[in-house]
Amino acid sequence: MCICPHSCAGLKREDAEKMVYSATKRRRYITFCVSVIVCLFIFSRSLTQRLMFGECACHQCVMDLRHDTWFRQRFSPHTQPLLTKKNSVLSKALYLWWQKLQFKSKVNYTMVAEMLFAIFPNEEDYSDAGPGRCRTCAVVGNSGNLKKSRYGPLIDAHDLVIRINKGPTAGFEQDVGSKTTHRIIYPESAVDMDNSTHLVLIPFKTLDLQWLISVFTSKHIDRTYTPVKPAIKANREKVMILHPGFLKYVQERWLQKHGRYPSTGFITLIFALHICDQVSVFGFGADESGNWHHYFEENKHNRNAGNHGGSYEYRITLTLHEKKGIRLYKGW
Ligand code: C5P
């Protein structure tokens, strides 16, 4: 009990100071804890999302296969699909491999590459993969199995619809859809495309790059090993070019060198694996006699026609489907 008011007041002040001190300490402690929790939350958000949702925001992601040995032996996350100014210098080994695909040419690749990026966009597109992204893609091949499939609305529901070579939509909408965000071509397979479609060139040879430049400038190249269109309708701002190193990677890692070089369709499928989170594949597969038939024409193509290992490509496609890396729609 307090007898003297001064000492009593002193004690009260001491107590009050202690109380203020401990309250401040508590507040600082709480602020510290909250900051740690917020930081942990922010830094672990991507990890949490990965654990909860996998490698992307879709319910199933291509990259969920990253622990699969078969997939890891083939998929190289560091291989750049697109040619940019920064990665346009080719190693000697790559240049020699690429030259072997083409007939002898005296064209100076370095000069052509410099011209390319003075004319076309030089962007590193699609490098935004992460746990917050769910980019769905439809790869639409040209197989006759699309006839009567009624896949049109399903194909159009994808974020990206990647079509190949001449594969038309007009008159076939119910089966193949009408949306085209990307069309993969080479000079000999080029067709007109609308303003919103990305023209994606596969440069099988240096002349293909010169043809692309010519299409948007002088329009003077009308022949490669066969007559080609000197001009096509396409948006220059939407042009993309696959990297020759990407073609080598598809041929060596994915196809184990089966065939001389991969088919446009198979290159497109692997391109989609690299830029999409979910890949649906339509219009792949030969007919019952093993012919590469088309949904838009009657004449038949030999399945292993030309230089592609068609059967091996299809086996890899089926394996990817079985492992749930892609979803293959086999058609009618
Ligand atoms: O015939 P084209 O090369 O234009 O077809 C595009 C792609 O579709 C081919 O490169 C091939 O990968 C695929 N395709 C297929 N089965 C077919 C026709 C084409 O797998 N019957």
Side-chain angles (χ1 to χ4, degrees), residues 55 62-73:
E55 289 289 301
V62 170
M63 279 306 121
D64 291 347
L65 264 189
R66 71 199 180 284
H67 298 305
D68 181 278
T69 311
W70 180 90
F71 184 75
R72 280 223 312 265
Q73 281 165 352

Side-chain angles (χ1 to χ4, degrees), residues 177-226:
S178 55
K179 177 170 165 182
T180 308
T181 62
H182 295 67
R183 187 174 287 275
I184 313 271
I185 54 133
Y186 50 95
E188 296 80 11
S189 75
V191 287
D192 290 339
M193 42 199 101
D194 66 34
N195 230 30
S196 63
T197 302
H198 288 276
L199 182 168
V200 185
L201 179 85
I202 303 187
F204 288 112
K205 46 194 182 301
T206 321
L207 181 56
D208 297 351
L209 298 174
Q210 289 179 292
W211 170 82
L212 188 67
I213 293 168
S214 161
V215 161
F216 290 94
T217 55
S218 57
K219 305 185 185 350
H220 72 284
I221 299 182
D222 59 3
R223 201 180 165 80
T224 55
Y225 55 83
T226 187

Side-chain angles (χ1 to χ4, degrees), residues 21-301:
Y21 178 69
S22 60
T24 313
K25 228 170 126 183
R26 207 168 29 239
R27 217 176 307 123
R28 278 195 194 140
Y29 180 70
I30 291 168
T31 313
F32 173 76
C33 288
V34 169
S35 318
V36 168
I37 289 166
V38 168
C39 287
L40 277 177
F41 175 75
I42 291 168
F43 288 118
S44 68
R45 198 162 160 251
S46 95
L47 183 68
T48 317
Q49 280 193 331
R50 282 209 159 106
L51 291 175
M52 286 169 72
F53 305 113
E55 289 289 301
C56 72
C58 311
H59 70 273
Q60 192 150 27
C61 313
V62 170
M63 279 306 121
D64 291 347
L65 264 189
R66 71 199 180 284
H67 298 305
D68 181 278
T69 311
W70 180 90
F71 184 75
R72 280 223 312 265
Q73 281 165 352
R74 285 159 183 81
F75 187 89
S76 155
H78 306 298
T79 301
Q80 292 287 315
L82 295 172
L83 189 67
T84 61
K85 196 169 182 171
K86 211 161 103 194
N87 67 22
S88 65
V89 176
L90 310 183
S91 71
K92 199 166 174 204
L94 171 57
Y95 186 72
L96 288 176
W97 176 87
W98 194 42
Q99 287 300 305
K100 275 197 209 146
L101 289 189
Q102 16 192 314
F103 45 84
K104 283 246 173 321
S105 116
K106 292 202 178 84
V107 183
N108 181 335
Y109 164 74
T110 313
M111 271 173 59
V112 175
E114 261 170 40
M115 282 167 76
L116 275 180
F117 299 109
I119 299 174
F120 303 114
N122 175 37
E123 284 150 26
E124 286 177 36
D125 299 89
Y126 308 121
S127 49
D128 55 346
R133 189 187 80 175
C134 175
R135 177 182 293 140
T136 62
C137 300
V139 172
V140 189
N142 292 332
S143 171
N145 70 21
L146 283 169
K147 276 189 206 168
K148 297 189 191 155
S149 66
R150 300 289 188 265
Y151 285 152
L154 178 60
I155 290 174
D156 284 347
H158 291 77
D159 298 324
L160 307 191
V161 178
I162 312 175
R163 298 189 193 273
I164 302 164
N165 298 336
K166 296 181 195 294
T169 54
F172 302 93
E173 290 86 350
Q174 281 199 327
D175 294 334
V176 308
S178 55
K179 177 170 165 182
T180 308
T181 62
H182 295 67
R183 187 174 287 275
I184 313 271
I185 54 133
Y186 50 95
E188 296 80 11
S189 75
V191 287
D192 290 339
M193 42 199 101
D194 66 34
N195 230 30
S196 63
T197 302
H198 288 276
L199 182 168
V200 185
L201 179 85
I202 303 187
F204 288 112
K205 46 194 182 301
T206 321
L207 181 56
D208 297 351
L209 298 174
Q210 289 179 292
W211 170 82
L212 188 67
I213 293 168
S214 161
V215 161
F216 290 94
T217 55
S218 57
K219 305 185 185 350
H220 72 284
I221 299 182
D222 59 3
R223 201 180 165 80
T224 55
Y225 55 83
T226 187
V228 292
K229 288 189 163 80
I232 53 167
K233 264 194 238 150
N235 186 343
R236 187 173 59 85
E237 292 298 324
K238 299 236 168 223
V239 167
M240 295 173 168
I241 303 156
L242 289 188
H243 197 290
F246 190 73
L247 309 185
K248 185 170 188 277
Y249 151 72
V250 174
Q251 170 68 0
E252 294 184 349
R253 289 270 294 249
W254 283 95
L255 295 179
Q256 318 277 305
K257 302 189 182 173
H258 285 78
R260 206 162 81 82
Y261 57 92
S263 76
T264 319
F266 194 75
I267 294 168
T268 307
L269 197 162
I270 306 302
F271 174 55
L273 283 186
H274 277 257
I275 66 164
C276 309
D277 298 308
Q278 231 172 47
V279 178
S280 309
V281 178
F282 303 85
F284 277 58
D287 65 10
E288 60 288 349
S289 332
N291 293 315
W292 261 5
H293 55 334
H294 286 158
Y295 65 86
F296 51 89
E297 59 189 6
E298 286 311 319
N299 57 327
K300 311 243 169 173
H301 291 249

